[in-house]
Amino acid sequence: MKTNQIFLDKFYQLKKDFSTKLPIRLKEIDFALQNCIKQSQDDDQLQVLYRLLHSLGGTAGSFGLVQLGLEARKIEGKIVTIVECDNRNEFFMQLEDELEKLKKYANVHSI
């Protein structure tokens, strides 16, 4: 088997695995956001949410789901601003709306 075909086969398998695990990743992001809402002053919870979105943004883009990656990055970028936010609960509620958009996009545009 040619080297290119081996690479393509492995890449396709990774892409398939990503697609299969996408609903779980979205649930993890949702769970992390709920933890942020419950513990709005806990920066560790915020870091978990940030990391999950950052990972989704990069991985989605790598597999050709550019818009999904951009949406994840958009939410990730908003998290950076929370340090300066006076009302974290209101901020997290807005993120809930953004996450719902992300989930709908992921369902429509899955691999």
Side-chain angles (χ1 to χ4, degrees):
M1 188 178 270
K2 288 185 173 182
T3 304
N4 285 344
Q5 189 59 46
I6 292 170
F7 172 79
L8 290 174
D9 290 346
K10 287 182 179 182
F11 182 79
Y12 176 75
Q13 186 59 48
L14 289 170
K15 189 175 180 178
K16 186 177 174 184
D17 291 345
F18 174 79
S19 179
T20 301
K21 294 176 182 175
L22 184 57
I24 295 166
R25 292 178 84 160
L26 293 171
K27 285 181 183 179
E28 288 174 341
I29 291 169
D30 192 43
F31 183 75
L33 178 57
Q34 295 309 312
N35 283 339
C36 285
I37 291 169
K38 290 176 189 171
Q39 302 170 34
S40 64
Q41 299 304 314
D42 187 344
D43 288 342
D44 290 339
Q45 296 297 327
L46 191 59
Q47 186 64 27
V48 169
L49 179 60
Y50 178 87
R51 182 185 49 80
L52 290 168
L53 286 162
H54 181 81
S55 176
L56 178 63
T59 308
S62 297
F63 292 127
L65 296 173
V66 176
Q67 193 60 42
L68 178 62
L70 290 173
E71 291 296 322
R73 294 283 191 201
K74 183 171 90 174
I75 298 170
E76 174 191 347
K78 289 182 178 184
I79 290 173
V80 173
T81 65
I82 197 165
V83 175
E84 300 169 6
C85 185
D86 292 332
N87 188 345
R88 284 188 173 190
N89 287 331
E90 183 178 319
F91 181 84
F92 288 131
M93 296 301 176
Q94 291 172 1
L95 285 186
E96 276 187 311
D97 293 339
E98 295 290 327
L99 183 57
E100 287 306 313
K101 291 177 194 174
L102 180 72
K103 287 191 249 181
K104 287 178 184 175
Y105 185 83
N107 288 334
V108 172
H109 295 88
S110 61
I111 300 171

